[in-house]
Structures are given as structure tokens and as C-alpha cells.
Amino acid sequence: MAFREKNLIVLPPVEIAGRYVKRYHVPALGSAGIEPEVEKAAYAVLPELFPEPDGTPPASFVVLHRGGDTGAYLNAYNWTWDSVLHFAGAAAGQPALDCPDLDPTHFVKSDPGVRNWIGCVWELGPFGHERDAWIRHMLAPGTPDLAGYLGDAFPSDVTGPAVSVAPGAPLT
């Protein structure tokens, strides 16, 4: 299978259930975006993926990924304990992930005891940027700057830098 980067769309942050959420969308190859009904269903289940408040500024970033089949995947990365990233996920339309049907709007929370996955190669593109943005705006300054963090997003383009590897060649 040949690897190909996917498009990455950055949407403005929103407030959901008292948390500020930076949003990244990875549409299916050849698609202009995530279908509105899939997006609505994903964000409806999102509060179930948030940790209990602990005094850390209530900030998260999510990756909503639409597969090339019936699957849709929601990964919620939530800042907690000042500098720790909490993960919870949900999936829809993917029987291999224990979804009850092929409906990409019927999200069910993933069981971390069964699958400890935190994201696929297309969903992890913003990961390093978000770590650095959290340090830059929340940990390094004398006073945390939540607005600065929320405004500092991985750029819309593709899910990561182009990778070119000859068959059988080691990744370095």
C-alpha cells in the first residue's frame, strides 16, 4: 500500500461543555471536508471524552478523521494536571472498532482497556505542534495565555511533511 498524506483542515476553536477545543479535521481522500452531519455527531459525543476538571485551564485539541470507507474517528487530546495530555477517543461506522453499525454519525466511545491507540499517522500531524504551543503559551510565560494557545494552530495543509522512502529502505 502506497502512503499518501491527507488534507488537514484547521477550524476555529469552540467552547464545548466548558472546555476550549482546537479543531483539526482530516477528510477522506478526495473529499473537500467532513460531512456536516458527521461533524455534528462527533462534537455531540465529545463531552464524554473530557477528563474531570483539575484546575488546569480547560483546553483540548481534537482530530476528527473521516476514513475512506464508512469509518469516522474522533480523537480528543485534553490538557490536564498542568502538563499532561489525556486521551480519549470515539469511532463511528467501523465494525472493527466495535461500532454497532456502518453509520458514520453513530459514535461510540472507545474502550481504552481494549485498544490503547492514540491516533494513526494522519491524526498525529498536529501532535508536536500542540506540545510546543502548550509550552510556549501555558507553561513558559509567567502567566498562562489561554487565548494565545487557542490561536496557535498547526497550519492547514496536509497531515504532515512529505515522506519519501524507497521500498526496503530504513527510516532514519
Side-chain angles (χ1 to χ4, degrees):
M1 172 170 127
F3 176 77
R4 206 171 133 196
E5 291 291 356
K6 292 185 176 183
N7 290 331
L8 179 74
I9 301 166
V10 180
L11 298 164
V14 294
E15 184 178 348
I16 298 175
R19 286 190 79 84
Y20 298 98
V21 180
K22 295 168 73 170
R23 301 179 297 155
Y24 297 98
H25 285 187
V26 179
L29 284 171
S31 173
I34 304 284
E35 303 96 317
E37 63 274 12
V38 172
E39 179 180 0
K40 181 179 179 183
Y43 291 132
V45 76
L46 190 54
E48 296 177 36
L49 306 182
F50 294 154
E52 290 296 318
D54 69 351
T56 301
S60 302
F61 64 98
V62 299
V63 178
L64 177 57
H65 180 186
R66 189 70 163 90
D69 54 11
T70 56
Y73 314 95
L74 178 63
N75 296 341
Y77 305 100
N78 308 290
W79 291 106
T80 189
W81 210 33
D82 293 327
S83 60
V84 174
L85 199 55
H86 166 276
F87 170 78
Q94 182 53 263
L97 297 180
D98 301 323
C99 296
D101 53 44
L102 298 177
D103 181 355
T105 66
H106 187 190
F107 280 87
V108 293
K109 187 175 176 181
S110 301
D111 182 350
V114 174
R115 289 183 187 84
N116 295 317
W117 302 344
I118 62 167
C120 73
V121 295
W122 295 286
E123 296 160 355
L124 295 176
F127 223 76
H129 174 88
E130 289 299 323
R131 173 201 180 267
D132 293 347
W134 188 257
I135 293 169
R136 190 169 34 254
H137 298 286
M138 302 301 292
L139 299 178
T143 302
D145 177 12
L146 183 58
Y149 170 73
L150 294 173
D152 187 345
F154 190 75
S156 284
D157 188 16
V158 293
T159 52
V163 176
S164 176
V165 178
L171 292 174
T172 57

